[in-house]
């Protein structure tokens, strides 16, 4: 037996990007624990990844290529060789492209792995050269990214490690206890040193329970709340006029737009006590350093872009930037690594149509000239994660749509496929992993042997490029060549490479934890904060910061939100949890419907229905019900999940999915 201890890093769609220590025996993972190459990880990791062997070697792992046998969507497959499966895929793609054109093919991918080799690289090259339709990737962070870029460009936010210096921490639409656990001990250390904590969340999350102030906003009502705070700061003389004069533009326009919202009006719209909102203004104005951890809960609704922009404007208006631990943190995925992952793709984007991934059910049903005839799904499980689930499943199961799924396990999407191809997991392939919370970069080798015949994305799309005769002389093809191309894309690449070779991890060039407005500045054209960026103002319906009221109706009065589960990353690892999931509702809403804890209920709207148990909970406010994101068919009694109730309407910015705009009714079944 050969036992080995190797270092790796976790590329799952989680901000923390943990450094890992992996023990293998004969290439098989036997233990995974936290490493010390990242100060944020600090030796501990989540239970999901500690137990990843159950995922890697469980009964749902796809071991060989599979070809559909039987009706689509029934999950009947026969094992095939790679040659046979690729012959089928290449034959069908050639036929479709030859007859209907490349745009009849759509690559479909999202958050499986946050690595430069797995995410793009050869897959992007393949679909660009094929002239396939482009995918607008809008499941997540589309609205918040549009807002951040518009206001600040790609300036990194406050490093999570620096929260320890803050005197006030605001968690706005974010639940680190599940979704970024390494922030929790930092918050606790700050609180032990006297910091105050405010949580803005419709649910009483674990940290809301311990907060000094919990603003339980109605879903989708963050925009008036943030504008009212801005208005109060201006009208009470609490705005930092000197900072704004030096560093921001469109100040008067923001002031004018915010003036529509008094504390009383915003509190009424958001279902808050005006005194609580007032208390927040006072706390925020007085504290320094004050930091706002902006999450993703506030973007997943019709007002999500405006809400994110208004929250991101707060530290500018109140003058909180320029000190360590002061300002905001949104996604740091934008932190500027000098090197460019596009260098591995080498093909320019195709001038073909773009399809919003959050409207894939509609696209499969309605698009023509050309119709979508082939979908190649990788790093993604849309049958579980896309809006309008019934339309998505119906589209995937059409006999005239050829569906290829490359995944590690037999997901709900893979069950709908014509061909399933086995994929390696992150410990089984090399990747360049970079965080969107922790600002670190890792070059992680494969440390384990994949079971069965799994191939990495590099190997699969390299083979497709070759078989479809889309390679060009000099193309980087292997992981080594792709990596070298990325590091050769900028003069700073050599330094980064040397650091990775020496330490196995690299921080952002220069300052390891840059302080916004001291070490890093906005990268907007003039280096200033744009408080009402013209492009966003043109994009948002009614202009930036225009508020659209609650979509609830008499028939569907309850706001269904679907926050993250601690036990999964989106739908990843959902095959390991077989227990049914209950919908949480308040005692008030339960009583009004004669529902008691444990009852079977129907949850429905015009799009669909979910059947599951009810859990009466003191943690959700009346008017709000909770069914987590990422559930699989086996988690409910009728095989439908929250996504079956989620409209495919998009938010005000970025084409963002509006997962939390579902409005439903609940009744005993
Ligand atoms: N364990 C685990 N970790 C994860 C993930 C996971 O699925 N599981 N997912 C990863 C991914 S893909 C992402 S994007 C991040 C997401 O990280 P978070 O943003 O923390 O995740 P969510 O749970 O989607 O939403 C956060 C909170 O927003 C609240 N919320 C819902 N609607 C609103 C609203 O309108 N306004 C406000 N203020 N709050 C609202 C929810 O109640 C929830 O507590 O986490 C990543 N980390
Ligand atoms: N109801 C509801 N739904 C939501 C949300 C919500 O708030 N509410 N939020 C959404 C958010 S924040 C996000 S980010 C999306 C995420 O949605 P998805 O992008 O669908 O993410 P996952 O569910 O994690 O599925 C990723 C899949 O990629 C596979 N995978 C991992 N690594 C690799 C690899 O190297 N190669 C290949 N070929 N496959 C790989 C995994 O096995 C997994 O099946 O879900 C969204 N869905
Ligand atoms: S999922 Fe997040 S917390 Fe868990 S190991 Fe990966 S990076 Fe760390
Ligand atoms: Mo996400």
């Amino acid at each position: 037996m050969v036992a080995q201890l190797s270092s790796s890093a976790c590329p799952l769609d989680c901000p923390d990007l943990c450094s890992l220590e992996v023990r293998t025996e004969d290439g098989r993972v036997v233990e995974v624990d936290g490493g010390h190459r990242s100060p944020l990880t600090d030796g501990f990791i989540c239970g999901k990844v500690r137990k990843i062997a159950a995922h890697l070697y469980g009964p749902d792992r796809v071991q060989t290529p599979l070809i559909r046998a039987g009706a689509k969507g029934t999950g009947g497959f026969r094992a095939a060789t790679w040659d046979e499966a690729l012959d089928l895929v290449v034959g069908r793609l050639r036929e479709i492209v030859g007859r209907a054109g490349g745009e009849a093919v759509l690559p479909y991918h999202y958050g499986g792995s946050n690595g430069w080799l797995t995410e793009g690289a050869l897959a992007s090259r393949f679909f660009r050269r094929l002239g396939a339709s482009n995918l607008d990737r809008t499941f997540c962070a589309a609205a918040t990214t549009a807002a951040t870029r518009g206001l600040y460009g790609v300036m990194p936010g406050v490093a999570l490690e620096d929260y320890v210096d803050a005197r006030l921490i605001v968690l706005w639409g974010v639940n680190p206890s599940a979704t970024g656990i390494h922030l929790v001990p930092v918050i606790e250390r700050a609180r032990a040193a006297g910091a105050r904590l405010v949580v803005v969340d419709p649910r009483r999350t674990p940290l809301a329970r311990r907060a000094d102030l919990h603003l339980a906003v109605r879903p989708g009502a963050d925009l008036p709340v943030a504008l009212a705070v801005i208005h109060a700061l201006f009208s009470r003389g609490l705005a930092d006029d000197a900072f704004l004069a030096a560093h921001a533009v469109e100040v008067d326009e923001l002031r004018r737009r915010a003036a529509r919202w008094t504390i009383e009006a915003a509190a009424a719209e958001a279902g808050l006590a005006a005194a609580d909102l007032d208390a927040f203004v006072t706390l925020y104005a007085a504290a320094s350093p004050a930091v706002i951890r902006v999450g993703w809960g506030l973007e997943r609704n019709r007002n999500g872009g405006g809400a994110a922009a208004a929250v991101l404007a707060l530290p500018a208006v109140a003058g909180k930037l320029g000190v360590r631990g002061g300002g905001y943190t949104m996604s740091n995925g934008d932190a500027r690594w000098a090197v460019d992952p596009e260098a591995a793709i080498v093909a320019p984007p195709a001038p073909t149509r773009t399809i919003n991934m959050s409207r894939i059910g509609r696209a499969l049903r309605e698009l023509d000239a050309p119709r979508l005839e082939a979908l190649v799904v990788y790093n993604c499980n849309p049958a579980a994660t896309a809006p309008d689930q019934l339309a998505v499943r119906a589209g995937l199961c059409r006999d005239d749509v050829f569906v290829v799924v490359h995944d590690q396990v037999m997901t709900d999407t893979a069950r709908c496929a014509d061909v399933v191809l086995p994929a390696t997991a992150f410990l089984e392939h090399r990747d360049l992993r970079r965080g969107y919370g922790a600002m670190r970069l890792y070059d992680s080798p494969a440390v384990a042997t994949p079971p069965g015949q799994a191939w990495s994305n590099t190997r699969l799309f390299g083979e497709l490029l070759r078989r479809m005769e889309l390679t060009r002389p000099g193309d980087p093809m292997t992981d080594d060549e792709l990596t070298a191309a990325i590091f050769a894309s900028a003069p700073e690449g050599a330094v980064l490479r040397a650091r990775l070779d020496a330490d196995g991890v690299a921080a952002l060039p220069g300052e390891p934890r840059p302080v916004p407005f001291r070490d890093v500045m906005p990268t907007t054209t003039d280096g200033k904060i744009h408080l009402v960026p013209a492009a966003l103002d043109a994009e948002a319906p009614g202009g930036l910061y225009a508020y659209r009221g609650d979509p609830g109706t008499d028939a569907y009065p309850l706001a269904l939100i679907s926050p993250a589960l601690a036990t999964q990353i989106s739908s990843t690892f959902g095959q390991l949890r077989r227990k049914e999931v209950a919908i949480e509702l308040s005692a008030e809403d339960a009583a009004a419907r004669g529902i008691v804890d444990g009852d079977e209920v129907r949850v429905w709207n015009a799009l669909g229905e979910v059947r599951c148990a009810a859990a009466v909970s003191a943690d959700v406010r009346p008017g709000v019900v909770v069914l987590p994101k990422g559930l699989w068919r086996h988690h409910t009694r009728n095989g439908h999940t929250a996504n079956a109730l989620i409209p495919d309407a998009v938010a005000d910015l970025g084409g963002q999915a509006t997962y939390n705009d579902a409005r439903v009714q609940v009744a005993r079944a």
Side-chain angles (χ1 to χ4, degrees):
M1 189 205 41
V2 183
Q4 205 171 336
L5 193 61
S6 321
S7 295
S8 183
C10 174
L12 294 176
D13 195 346
C14 166
D16 292 5
L17 184 72
C18 288
S19 95
L20 305 176
E21 294 301 323
V22 184
R23 201 156 61 80
T24 54
E25 286 174 4
D26 292 332
R28 224 180 133 88
V29 174
V30 290
E31 196 183 337
V32 182
D33 213 335
H36 292 274
R37 294 191 297 171
S38 155
L40 196 63
T41 315
D42 200 22
F44 79 95
I45 58 168
C46 68
K48 302 178 285 294
V49 170
R50 215 164 343 98
K51 293 182 286 203
I52 200 164
H55 174 80
L56 299 177
Y57 312 118
D60 292 298
R61 185 81 196 254
V62 182
Q63 303 261 356
T64 67
L66 299 169
I67 294 175
R68 176 166 67 85
K72 270 193 97 166
T74 54
F77 294 94
R78 66 174 173 83
T81 63
W82 269 101
D83 254 334
E84 188 187 5
L86 288 176
D87 279 348
L88 176 61
V89 171
V90 167
R92 284 302 298 273
L93 291 183
R94 272 190 198 282
E95 189 278 320
I96 290 167
V97 172
R99 176 175 42 75
E103 285 184 326
V105 178
L106 180 69
Y108 199 91
H109 57 112
Y110 196 76
S113 249
N114 284 254
W116 283 336
L117 303 181
T118 304
E119 266 189 340
L122 293 190
S124 299
R125 185 191 305 164
F126 174 70
F127 291 108
R128 288 176 183 186
R129 287 192 182 155
L130 195 66
S133 288
N134 293 299
L135 187 73
D136 197 7
R137 298 172 70 232
T138 56
F139 275 178
C140 179
T144 48
T145 300
T148 318
R149 290 211 176 141
L151 269 72
Y152 294 95
V154 293
M155 182 180 80
V158 177
L160 300 176
E161 299 94 308
D162 283 341
Y163 279 47
V164 70
D165 290 332
R167 303 291 301 162
L168 173 68
I169 297 171
V170 181
L171 302 176
W172 201 313
V174 70
N175 177 26
S177 307
T179 61
I181 55 173
H182 294 86
L183 187 56
V184 177
V186 186
I187 292 172
E188 294 304 348
R189 280 206 297 282
R191 296 198 79 199
R196 312 291 281 280
L197 178 67
V198 176
V199 174
V200 188
D201 196 307
R203 294 189 302 150
R204 193 165 60 159
T205 58
L207 284 165
R209 219 167 280 150
R210 288 181 265 156
D212 297 284
L213 183 62
H214 174 205
L215 300 175
V217 287
R218 266 190 200 117
D222 302 275
L223 176 58
V225 170
L227 290 177
V229 176
I230 290 170
H231 173 54
L233 291 168
F234 277 121
S235 62
R236 297 176 191 181
L238 298 169
D240 189 336
D241 295 322
F243 179 85
L244 289 170
H247 294 298
V249 295
E250 298 135 16
V251 179
D252 290 337
E253 190 54 26
L254 174 66
R255 187 202 319 251
R256 205 176 60 72
R257 294 187 189 198
R260 286 176 213 159
W261 291 98
T262 61
I263 293 286
E264 290 71 26
E269 186 60 32
L272 302 174
D276 284 348
L277 192 46
D278 216 74
F280 175 58
V281 174
T282 308
L283 260 177
Y284 187 59
S288 183
V291 63
I292 305 178
R293 182 12 161 183
V294 190
W296 293 268
L298 83 171
E299 79 169 350
R300 311 198 202 287
N301 63 77
R302 67 218 172 272
N303 301 310
V311 173
L312 290 166
L314 281 170
V317 173
K320 301 300 180 192
L321 293 147
V323 291
R324 193 175 285 284
Y328 69 86
T329 312
M330 189 54 257
S331 174
N332 279 326
D334 256 348
R336 291 202 304 165
W337 297 103
V339 295
D340 184 2
E342 275 283 320
I345 302 175
V346 300
T352 48
R353 68 180 172 187
T354 297
I355 294 170
N356 187 329
M357 73 182 307
S358 297
R359 314 190 83 192
I360 185 62
R362 184 183 298 271
L364 286 165
R365 187 175 66 229
E366 292 179 358
L367 277 184
D368 57 12
R371 202 170 64 71
L372 278 181
E373 295 193 51
L375 218 59
V376 182
V377 182
Y378 57 99
N379 301 348
C380 200
N381 183 12
T385 56
D388 198 0
Q389 186 170 69
L390 301 193
V392 174
R393 288 183 182 166
L396 292 172
C397 287
R398 277 170 71 138
D399 283 322
D400 57 359
V401 178
F402 181 63
V403 177
V404 180
V405 175
H406 184 224
D407 208 312
Q408 299 152 7
V409 293
M410 187 48 87
T411 62
D412 287 349
T413 305
R415 286 186 179 282
C416 300
D418 294 277
V419 179
V420 181
L421 301 172
T424 46
F426 72 83
L427 295 173
E428 300 160 354
H429 57 241
R430 180 177 181 183
D431 212 341
L432 291 168
R433 295 163 190 168
R434 51 89 179 83
Y436 64 96
M439 288 182 264
R440 293 290 185 281
L441 178 71
Y442 297 86
D443 182 353
S444 296
V447 298
T449 313
Q453 302 168 28
W455 283 14
S456 69
N457 293 25
T458 300
R459 184 160 179 202
L460 168 62
F461 290 103
E463 192 59 26
L464 286 174
L465 278 158
R466 276 185 285 268
R467 288 185 183 224
M468 299 219 29
E469 292 160 51
L470 293 169
T471 53
R472 310 260 164 87
D475 275 352
M477 293 301 290
T478 62
D479 285 333
D480 282 353
E481 291 163 358
L482 294 164
T483 304
I486 290 172
F487 286 106
S489 64
E492 296 88 336
V495 182
L496 215 48
R497 180 73 265 172
R499 210 170 284 144
L500 284 171
D501 290 339
D503 307 332
V505 58
L508 275 178
E511 170 64 55
R513 299 203 315 275
V515 173
F517 281 83
R518 199 195 71 186
D519 310 309
V520 287
M521 296 299 281
T523 61
T524 50
T525 46
D526 54 3
K528 306 232 173 183
I529 307 169
H530 286 242
L531 293 170
V532 192
L536 302 193
D537 200 32
E539 184 184 347
L544 187 63
Y545 306 123
Y547 175 68
R548 292 187 273 177
D550 195 276
T553 61
D554 289 345
Y556 306 118
L558 300 171
L560 169 68
I561 59 173
S562 40
L565 278 169
T567 46
Q568 298 180 191
I569 292 286
S570 298
S571 74
T572 298
F573 305 132
Q575 82 282 6
L576 299 174
R577 258 173 76 260
R578 309 306 299 190
K579 238 178 89 184
E580 281 186 11
V581 175
I583 186 164
E584 282 180 67
L585 77 176
S586 68
E588 188 178 314
D589 287 322
R593 291 164 178 78
I595 295 168
V596 299
D597 205 65
D599 274 353
E600 176 165 331
V601 292
R602 307 194 295 127
V603 187
W604 80 97
N605 62 20
L607 293 172
E609 175 175 308
V610 176
R611 282 192 182 233
C612 60
V616 178
S617 164
D619 294 333
V620 290
R621 51 168 299 153
V624 175
V625 294
V626 177
L627 201 54
K629 79 163 170 174
L631 298 185
W632 290 41
R633 293 190 70 105
H634 59 256
H635 288 126
T636 68
R637 292 189 187 163
N638 68 343
H640 301 161
T641 73
N643 294 52
L645 307 169
I646 291 167
D648 71 354
V650 296
D652 50 351
L653 295 180
Q656 168 70 46
T658 54
Y659 294 108
N660 293 337
D661 269 349
R663 295 296 178 269
V664 301
Q665 186 53 282
V666 180
R668 282 172 59 181

